[in-house]
Each structure stands twice: as structure tokens, then as C-alpha cells.
Amino acid sequence: MKRGLSAVIFIVLAAGLCAIPAFLTFGEPAESGMDQYFIGNGQAQAATNNIVTSVVFDYRGFDTLGESVILFAAVIGVGLMFRSMREEEEHEDE
Amino acid sequence: MRMSKIVRTGANLLYPFVLIFGLYVIMHGHLTPGGGFQGGAVVATGVALVIVAYSFEEVTSMIKKVGMKARESIGLLLFIGAGVAALAAGAPFFSNILANSGLLFGQTVPAGPNPGDLNTAGVIPIMNVAVGIEVWGGLAIIVLYMLSSIPEEGS
């Protein structure tokens, strides 16, 4: 019963995922005005030749902060996982 | 377990060049493709090269875990500090207060195609360096932690 239900849910979700491209035209975002704004004003506002970097670090700087914090959290997680495996090395250099 | 002398010599030879290339990608992030994340990953690849070539004891004497942890924390603090500095100057959080100001990294960029100048882009190079240091320390410490859990053979 449970297996059949999960199979049905999986099929419905997979079919929905496959049906999405039929309703969207590829390469045409719904809102392209923002792109033209970045390309037109990036050099004057952010004083950067690299528009991608000006978007990542200036216009969308808050998202980059989230990315950095995610990396920090990943390192903390790896440290927690592998800490107990070799205790003597941990205390040796701290 | 250490690799053969050929691998160790190759790693010794390549390590400074990989480091310099990664730091170049970080520093020129506002002019060329790349930036803090990509350049930091390149530098961490150089660290991983040394870790692959040498045994764990030799690596921990050359590359300190404490130094990598310090790099990661200092990088994130510098990144957040660059955002908070804008608050202190009376602008919104993460706004580019140094761009077009004439101070550090403050030169204006002429419109249209131009070769570019390192002394532009305001706080973006500072954030690039911060994120680069953070990714360097973070990826290196992940590889070091994973290596420390592998049992040594033949030693």
C-alpha cells in the first residue's frame, strides 16, 4: 500500500517535472528588464568591468554572504564528523 | 602513505605556481573571469596536491590545521566586516561605498569596452580577497579532516 502510494506520487511528480518545459520557452526569462539594467549601469555604479562579479558581490551581495556562511557550516559539519576519529591529532596542534 | 619521489618532486615544483595562479584569479576577480570562490578553489587544489603527495605526518608539519581554521574565520569576518563598514558609513548593508570615491580601489571606469584597471570596483576586490581566503582555508581543512580519518598503512 505504502509502496504503491509512493510510486504514484513519484510518477506524478516526475511527469510534472517533465511537463514544465512544455509550458516554458527555453532561454526567454519572464523578466529580462533587470538584466539590461545590470548590463547598462554596472560599469557606472559598481565601477567594475566584470558584470558577473558586480552582480555577485555588489547587487546580490547578501546572497554571497549566505554562500560563505554555508561553506563555513559545511566545514563545521565535516569537523564534527571526523573529530572523534583521531583525537590525538586534534589536541596535538591546538 | 607518501607517494613516490617523482610525485613529491612534481608537487613541490607545482605548488607555488598553483598558489600564485589562484591568488591572481582572486585578486583580478573584478576584471577577469573568476573571483573569490573560483580562485580559492584553485589555491585549495594546490594544498590538496601537497596532501596527496606526502604522508599525513609530513603534511601536518607543513600545513597547520590551526592556520587553515584561522584563514577561514578571518575570511568570513573580513567579508561581513566589509558589509558592516557600509552601515558605519551611513549607507545600506553591503552597499559599495568605495566605488567611484577616489580612495582605495576607487577609480571610475569609462563606459564601454576598456582594458580595465586593478584600482577600481570599490569593496568588490576586498570581498573577493575575503571570500578567497575563506574558501582556501575551508576546502583545505575539509581535505585535512578527511585525510586524518584514513588509517595509515606501512607506517
Side-chain angles (χ1 to χ4, degrees):
Chain A
M1 175 62 197
K2 244 185 181 174
R3 282 181 69 91
L5 190 68
S6 57
V8 166
I9 290 173
F10 175 77
I11 289 168
V12 167
L13 287 178
L17 195 67
C18 293
I20 285 174
F23 302 111
L24 292 177
T25 42
F26 186 71
E28 289 177 19
E31 295 287 336
S32 64
M34 220 50 205
D35 313 352
Q36 289 307 317
Y37 180 82
F38 289 148
I39 293 168
N41 298 311
Q43 275 185 319
Q45 288 179 344
T48 321
N49 276 340
N50 193 342
I51 302 295
V52 176
T53 308
S54 77
V55 170
V56 169
F57 285 99
D58 193 342
Y59 293 114
R60 300 274 183 259
F62 205 68
D63 297 353
T64 311
L65 175 66
E67 255 180 280
S68 308
V69 173
I70 283 171
L71 180 70
F72 198 79
V75 171
I76 289 173
V78 171
L80 280 174
M81 267 180 66
F82 289 96
R83 171 170 287 262
S84 58
M85 292 191 179
R86 198 180 260 219
E87 286 284 325
E88 66 271 26
E89 242 79 25
E90 282 301 321
H91 300 302
E92 177 187 61
D93 57 8
E94 277 175 358
Chain B
M1 188 180 72
R2 70 205 303 222
M3 303 283 263
S4 69
K5 198 173 179 64
I6 297 170
V7 178
R8 277 181 281 136
T9 309
N12 283 344
L13 201 65
L14 282 174
Y15 183 57
F17 291 107
V18 173
L19 238 64
I20 287 169
F21 180 69
L23 293 174
Y24 154 76
V25 170
I26 293 172
M27 202 57 232
H28 287 240
H30 56 294
L31 299 173
T32 54
F37 286 101
Q38 293 86 352
V42 170
V43 174
T45 311
V47 176
L49 180 70
V50 171
I51 289 171
V52 164
Y54 286 89
S55 71
F56 184 74
E57 277 72 24
E58 287 170 308
V59 165
T60 43
S61 67
M62 282 185 285
I63 299 164
K64 302 273 186 231
K65 269 184 190 169
V66 176
M68 290 299 160
K69 283 175 191 166
R71 272 187 189 86
E72 208 209 350
S73 309
I74 288 170
L76 189 57
L77 281 177
L78 191 62
F79 186 69
I80 297 173
V84 173
L87 274 183
F93 192 49
F94 267 112
S95 61
N96 200 339
I97 46 169
L98 286 174
N100 303 323
S101 68
L103 300 170
L104 182 70
F105 297 121
Q107 285 190 356
T108 52
V109 170
N114 62 79
D117 192 329
L118 196 63
N119 193 17
T120 54
V123 295
I124 292 175
I126 299 170
M127 288 179 174
N128 262 325
V129 169
V131 170
I133 293 171
E134 196 208 335
V135 174
W136 177 3
L139 293 185
I141 198 75
I142 283 177
V143 177
L144 272 177
Y145 266 131
M146 289 186 169
L147 185 75
S148 69
S149 72
I150 298 173
E152 298 275 320
E153 6 173 331
S155 67

